[in-house]
Amino acid sequence: MANEPKVTKLNTKPSSPKDKAIEAVVENVSAIAETAADAAPAPASEPAQALASMTKDSAAQTRTAMEKTMDQTTRSTEGLYKATEDAMEFGRGNMEAFSKATQAYVSGLQDLSKQAFAVMQAMNEHAMQNAKAVASAKSLREAAELQTTFAKAQLEKSMSEATRLNEAAFKLAEQASAPIAARMTLAMERMTRPAAFA
């Protein structure tokens, strides 16, 4: 129609199937309004002309309102879709961090077990050497001195090795928990950021 107001489209992106569906709905509503306006008998009086004009204006306003509503709905849906994708990506990162932490823990625990076994083996060898020395002692006093020296050396060795193994265990705990701690920090940062759904 010549005097129908032009409605400019808000979306200048290339048409996707979703945009085409929206355009089809808007065009159908406009076509129905135009058909209703064209099918009306020629206005004979001023009130009839006002009614026809109101019908045309109403159709244009309806079309504009629908386009705005569809545009807002599209933007909200896209924001929700992005938020869902971000949440899934964050969950995937959490699983990877948990996997890395588990691998580091198991690997470190194996190393720690090997170290503990080596310490026990060295202490047993030292005990066997001491037992041979005590057995070959020429006097009871010499055997007592050997046993005292052995006990003191074993105590010092066990204390130093226990300290070393404890330090290794603490280091292992730090290494194994590092990926999870990093994810917790990231989660706290993300929780303090404002969400945008516009």
Side-chain angles (χ1 to χ4, degrees):
M1 299 221 115
N3 54 355
E4 182 177 323
K6 293 278 185 180
V7 178
T8 57
K9 293 186 179 182
L10 297 175
N11 194 354
T12 59
K13 296 179 194 173
S15 294
S16 68
K18 179 174 55 173
D19 293 335
K20 288 179 183 177
I22 293 169
E23 287 177 15
V25 169
V26 170
E27 287 175 9
N28 284 341
V29 169
S30 295
I32 290 170
E34 286 177 12
T35 303
D38 289 342
S45 66
E46 199 171 296
Q49 287 179 348
L51 181 60
S53 176
M54 279 183 14
T55 303
K56 288 179 186 178
D57 291 345
S58 176
Q61 289 173 355
T62 301
R63 179 183 177 131
T64 303
M66 283 191 67
E67 284 180 351
K68 285 181 183 178
T69 302
M70 293 305 279
D71 186 51
Q72 289 172 347
T73 303
T74 300
R75 281 189 279 145
S76 295
T77 303
E78 288 171 354
L80 187 59
Y81 181 73
K82 179 160 178 19
T84 303
E85 281 182 335
D86 289 347
M88 289 175 62
E89 185 64 32
F90 187 74
R92 196 173 303 122
N94 288 347
M95 290 304 294
E96 288 172 4
F98 183 73
S99 176
K100 285 179 186 177
T102 302
Q103 288 172 350
Y105 179 73
V106 169
S107 174
L109 201 55
Q110 289 173 345
D111 290 343
L112 205 56
S113 296
K114 288 176 186 175
Q115 291 175 26
F117 182 74
V119 167
M120 292 303 291
Q121 192 173 15
M123 291 178 84
N124 283 339
E125 287 174 7
H126 190 246
M128 292 298 287
Q129 289 173 353
N130 185 61
K132 286 178 186 177
V134 169
S136 65
K138 297 179 182 161
S139 69
L140 193 56
R141 182 182 174 131
E142 184 183 352
E145 287 175 359
L146 286 172
Q147 189 61 32
T148 303
T149 305
F150 166 74
K152 184 178 177 185
Q154 282 291 78
L155 182 62
E156 289 173 357
K157 176 107 172 136
S158 63
M159 292 298 285
S160 68
E161 290 299 326
T163 302
R164 189 177 65 80
L165 288 173
N166 278 339
E167 288 172 358
F170 283 124
K171 187 175 180 183
L172 170 62
E174 286 177 353
Q175 289 174 342
S177 64
I180 294 173
R183 292 307 290 182
M184 290 295 289
T185 302
L186 181 62
M188 294 306 289
E189 288 173 1
R190 290 182 72 160
M191 286 173 57
T192 58
R193 270 189 261 154
F197 284 105

